[in-house]
Amino acid sequence: IAFAPSRPSDIWVPSTNLHYRSRDGGKSWSDFRVENQDAYAMAVDPQNPDIVYAGGHGGDKAHLSRSDDGGKSWKPVGAGLEPAIYLLLVDPVRSATVYAASRSGKLWKSVDRGATFAALAVAIGATDDIYNLRFEPGKSEILWLASEKGLFRSADGGMSWQRSDRDS
């Protein structure tokens, strides 16, 4: 479920085929489709709530789509991503920076609103699930990643990671 921080009444809910959006805080809902793609994750630009990302799986091509008009139209983006995207995160300070993760231990970073992505090295195996990815409150350069292999922290926007759980 994704929310628009600057427009909190907007709620976005991904689903495999049809997706759902509320513009009034959940009182009413409409469904929509992201063309040629199933969506498993959504994220909203915190500075511009009309920019919405939908990540998932779209055959050999679209694993990420972006809407620049509040969901009216979608275009495929995400060069460099592999299927399937299950987590999306937009930097609250530098909103052109987008993170995408698969369940299978892969994490990518974009600095151009999702047009292109580069892989980030995380010290987990290729078959280890990534469960969650979050920014430390008030510090967008600090990321926390929860995975099947434990909890990891990055203090440099995902460039390096340190194990940060009870086994570290």
Side-chain angles (χ1 to χ4, degrees):
I1 298 173
F3 295 90
S6 58
R7 195 183 298 150
S9 60
D10 285 9
I11 306 169
W12 300 83
V13 180
S15 186
T16 306
N17 191 8
L18 284 177
H19 319 294
Y20 305 94
R21 169 183 50 227
S22 175
R23 299 282 194 190
D24 57 11
K27 294 176 187 160
S28 63
W29 294 89
S30 60
D31 57 46
F32 65 97
R33 181 102 172 95
V34 177
E35 191 173 325
N36 299 316
Q37 179 187 327
D38 289 340
Y40 309 135
M42 295 189 135
V44 182
D45 184 313
Q47 296 174 13
N48 182 349
D50 288 330
I51 299 175
V52 183
Y53 299 89
H57 191 320
D60 293 335
K61 297 181 183 177
H63 309 302
L64 182 70
S65 294
R66 185 182 71 220
S67 174
D68 296 324
D69 57 10
K72 294 175 189 160
S73 64
W74 296 86
K75 65 180 175 182
V77 294
L81 291 177
E82 299 171 18
I85 303 304
Y86 284 91
L87 293 170
L88 289 170
L89 189 63
V90 181
D91 189 312
V93 175
R94 293 171 295 280
S95 63
T97 300
V98 180
Y99 296 86
S102 71
R103 284 195 180 152
S104 58
K106 294 184 179 178
L107 179 64
W108 298 270
K109 180 178 182 177
S110 170
V111 293
D112 57 8
R113 295 203 185 281
T116 60
F117 280 82
L120 297 175
V122 182
I124 61 176
T127 60
D128 297 321
D129 289 346
I130 294 175
Y131 299 134
N132 210 336
L133 179 68
R134 293 285 180 251
F135 291 107
E136 186 163 299
K139 299 177 182 176
S140 71
E141 72 281 0
I142 299 177
L143 289 161
W144 289 87
L145 182 139
S147 76
E148 192 171 357
K149 287 291 187 193
L151 182 64
F152 295 84
R153 181 180 185 270
S154 172
D156 56 10
M159 300 310 293
S160 64
W161 295 88
Q162 295 77 41
R163 190 169 185 128
S164 195
D165 56 22
R166 66 176 179 227
D167 294 332
S168 54

